[in-house]
Amino acid sequence: MHAPMAGQCLSLFVRYPNQEPVLRELDQLPQSLGELRNTLEVLDDQQLQILDASGQYLQVEQVGQLFDGASLRVTVPRRRVFVSLEGSSQSRPVVWYPGSGSDQIESAIVKACGLPVGTPIELLEDDVAVVISPTIPNDSVLTAVPLVSQTNGGSRQTEGYASPERSSHMPESPRRRGATPSFPPRSASASRGAVSP
């Protein structure tokens, strides 16, 4: 297992995600790791690893790790955050892979916290609101806070709904607790034609 010299032909066995290994012939040693990744069609969100002499896969960090006949694999890294429900000390991991959307991630967080499916939440990191996104940094520790809305009796309750049509008022951030939301007064023309029970 000697590192190839510049201009030397290179045969690599590459296992792409969910596929059998394929033989990739390179006419010459790539000049950089970026060039190697482009040549092997490794996406930005994927990892390239090489099988070493001890049978362990290691991250390819430089082209000097390559040798003729090397076995490589392309892996899809997962994202993971730890979430807990406001007021709970127990956190649970939530994992997703590239291609997951924000709605899917939010749904997984809601389920992990034991909330009803569709419950709107706000994620907090310490005292800062975090946008639910596939690019949340790995191993972030977050708190899920169910959004609340004002009810007719003046008390607050958690809204477990999937769409605004099921509620007469939009949810409010839990950081505004104690503040009374202001709604524009209904005009007389808006109430005309309304059917009262």
Side-chain angles (χ1 to χ4, degrees), residues 7 33 117-118 159 184:
L33 187 56
V117 175
E159 290 292 331

Side-chain angles (χ1 to χ4, degrees), residues 186-194:
R186 294 184 69 176
S187 67
S189 62
S191 61
R192 281 188 220 137

Side-chain angles (χ1 to χ4, degrees), residues 30-50:
Q31 298 297 311
S32 68
L33 187 56
E35 184 182 335
L36 173 65
R37 291 176 65 89
N38 284 339
T39 301
L40 297 178
E41 300 174 13
V42 177
L43 303 176
D44 290 340
D45 61 353
Q46 295 176 329
Q47 296 176 345
L48 182 61
Q49 300 175 331
I50 187 168

Side-chain angles (χ1 to χ4, degrees), residues 104-148:
Q104 293 169 312
I105 297 165
E106 181 175 7
S107 178
I109 290 171
V110 166
K111 289 176 191 174
C113 290
L115 295 168
V117 175
T119 300
I121 60 169
E122 181 175 47
L123 279 184
L124 300 176
E125 184 173 34
D126 297 322
D127 196 25
V128 178
V130 176
V131 174
I132 297 174
S133 159
T135 58
I136 294 173
N138 260 338
D139 297 329
S140 294
V141 178
L142 306 168
T143 303
V145 182
L147 295 176
V148 295

